[in-house]
Amino acid sequence: MVHVARGGEGPVLVLLHGLGATGSVWRGAADSWPGAWVAVDLPGHGRSAPLDRYSFGSLAAAVASAAPSGPVAVLGHSLGGVVALALASGWFGVDVRAVGAVGVKLRWTPEELAKAAALAGKPARVFGTRDEAEAWASRLAGVPVDDGVVEVDGGWRAALDPAAFGVGAPDVAGLLAVAKAPVVLAAGELDPMCPPEHLRAARADGLVLPGVGHNAHVEQPEALGPVLDRLHGLLVR
């Protein structure tokens, strides 16, 4: 089961969060979208069920099962940006007319992949109080998360399934090549995970968002204005 939150009326924007977060991180940005929006908790996050195996394809298939019918724009952050690009391939049956990917990590070292694989193999940490679990969930997500914990025997833990860390490095170049919808690739000017030089090497027309880092949608939701404007224009043209 994939949990979604909805709001607004009109052209539909599907919102996909990054690793460790939940759909609630889009609250500020969703308010700026001139239409309807659907914010998804990715599998293994928030109120969505975990998967037996995490891959960008399995995540995209799960999102597709909950996506609205009809034309949509999709905007994803980091991990969610890769899933958004996968949906734009047309392989999952979603009528994607425009896709935005913000803060996608484009280059991975063997050490980074080994660290992620190690995290994927660790059991979830259980804390004695909800506050402790929320602090840990927010640390994992890199942003404040107040709906990303679950109660378990003996206490509380982050809702994030640690196995999701094992999703691996995306083939962004391949996904860009097969996208059947226009792509808006963007990153914060101060994003250490997707610095401007990496962004522009992947797409010469990549949008650099001034004054924000990796989590632009949380730091300054208004910074996503150029991305939202482009997606809306492509969706309603």
Side-chain angles (χ1 to χ4, degrees):
M1 181 190 73
V2 176
H3 180 271
V4 300
R6 305 174 189 271
E9 295 182 357
V12 181
L13 176 67
V14 178
L15 296 161
L16 307 177
H17 61 78
L19 182 65
T22 68
S24 65
V25 297
W26 292 106
R27 288 169 184 155
D31 289 341
S32 299
W33 175 254
W37 55 266
V38 176
V40 178
D41 284 359
L42 292 175
H45 295 70
R47 289 157 286 186
S48 291
L51 296 175
D52 292 332
R53 178 179 176 274
Y54 291 91
S55 68
F56 301 111
S58 65
L59 290 167
V63 171
S65 71
S69 60
V72 300
V74 185
L75 175 59
H77 170 253
S78 199
L79 169 62
V82 180
V83 178
L85 291 172
L87 290 170
S89 68
W91 300 333
F92 300 94
V94 180
D95 186 5
V96 179
R97 300 295 178 89
V99 60
V102 179
V104 172
K105 183 173 172 60
L106 299 167
R107 301 182 186 180
W108 291 79
T109 66
E111 293 76 18
E112 288 169 336
L113 290 171
K115 181 178 179 180
L119 289 171
K122 292 183 177 180
R125 292 182 62 179
V126 178
F127 297 86
T129 68
R130 182 184 182 112
D131 286 347
E132 290 175 302
E134 285 183 350
W136 178 243
S138 297
R139 180 177 172 185
L140 291 173
V143 292
V145 177
D146 57 9
D147 60 349
V149 298
V150 292
E151 190 171 11
V152 296
D153 289 342
W156 296 81
R157 68 168 178 84
L160 170 65
D161 180 3
F165 279 103
V167 70
D171 178 11
V172 175
L175 290 172
L176 290 172
V178 300
K180 292 181 170 57
V183 175
V184 181
L185 205 62
E189 177 186 19
L190 308 176
D191 187 348
M193 296 184 70
C194 183
E197 59 268 26
H198 293 184
L199 175 69
R200 291 278 170 74
R203 284 287 293 255
D205 62 350
L207 286 178
V208 177
L209 308 177
V212 290
H214 184 59
N215 293 290
H217 56 309
V218 177
E219 298 167 30
Q220 294 181 34
E222 63 275 13
L224 290 184
V227 178
L228 294 174
D229 288 346
R230 286 199 188 185
L231 293 178
H232 187 264
L234 291 165
L235 181 58
V236 303
R237 66 181 179 181

